[in-house]
């Protein structure tokens, strides 16, 4: 499959790994918007949040456990944001489900552009 993040998981494209286990892989975003900007992805390809179902959703709770652990490790004690973009209106640019873990500065109060 021609998927950038599947290639990153396979080690075919380099990344800066921050965490890995049998279900998930986490690495630094190549274009960070804050001092901490980590992408947490399932190892099994899921194309977006729209494809989450009872068949594959166990990995989602695990991703949030990993996010909480990484937030503690990165000392994001003052807060952080977890975002997943799904589809064209949200600007999803890589079609392998990923959760952005962003923090280390004030992130603003707006969720979306007006
Ligand atoms: P999204 O726009 O929500 O689909 O997020 C895709 C994210 O992947 C963006 O924040 C990109 O900066 C990031 N990204 C794209 N290519 C790479 C790469 N090779 N390594 C790390 N992050 C990447
Ligand atoms: Zn993939």
């Amino acid at each position: 499959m021609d998927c950038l993040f599947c290639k990153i998981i396979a080690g075919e494209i380099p990344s800066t790994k921050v965490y890995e286990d049998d279900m998930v892989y986490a690495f630094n975003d190549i274009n960070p918007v804050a001092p901490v900007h980590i992408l947490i992805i399932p190892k099994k390809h899921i194309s977006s949040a729209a494809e989450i179902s009872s068949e594959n959703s166990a990995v989602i709770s695990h991703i949030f456990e990993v996010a909480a652990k990484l937030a503690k490790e990165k000392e994001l004690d003052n807060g952080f944001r977890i975002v997943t973009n799904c589809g064209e209106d949200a600007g999803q640019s890589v079609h392998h489900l990923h959760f952005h873990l962003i923090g280390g500065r004030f992130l603003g109060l707006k969720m979306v552009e007006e």
Side-chain angles (χ1 to χ4, degrees):
M1 194 190 298
D2 194 26
C3 169
L4 175 66
F5 287 175
C6 281
K7 286 179 180 162
I8 283 179
I9 292 162
E12 292 164 16
I13 290 174
S15 65
T16 307
K17 178 169 84 173
V18 294
Y19 178 84
E20 181 177 17
D21 63 29
D22 56 346
M23 289 171 92
V24 311
Y25 188 79
F27 55 107
N28 286 328
D29 196 293
I30 205 167
N31 188 19
V33 297
V36 174
H37 187 167
I38 295 168
L39 300 174
I40 310 172
I41 66 178
K43 283 191 168 174
K44 190 164 171 270
H45 182 91
I46 299 171
S47 52
S48 77
E51 302 306 319
I52 298 169
S53 69
S54 57
E55 307 290 305
N56 62 17
S57 62
V59 72
I60 306 305
S61 59
H62 187 58
I63 283 171
F64 276 78
E65 285 175 38
V66 170
K69 175 182 143 62
L70 292 176
K72 282 191 193 78
E73 271 178 30
K74 300 291 179 184
E75 301 180 327
L76 302 181
D77 305 324
N78 212 41
F80 55 87
R81 187 169 284 159
I82 296 172
V83 175
T84 187
N85 292 316
C86 176
E88 201 177 331
D89 278 358
Q92 183 181 3
S93 62
V94 179
H95 295 273
H96 181 128
L97 178 64
H98 51 282
F99 291 83
H100 299 255
L101 170 63
I102 302 163
R105 67 167 173 86
F106 179 63
L107 299 170
L109 298 175
K110 291 207 168 72
M111 288 292 291
V112 295
E113 270 177 33
E114 292 183 351

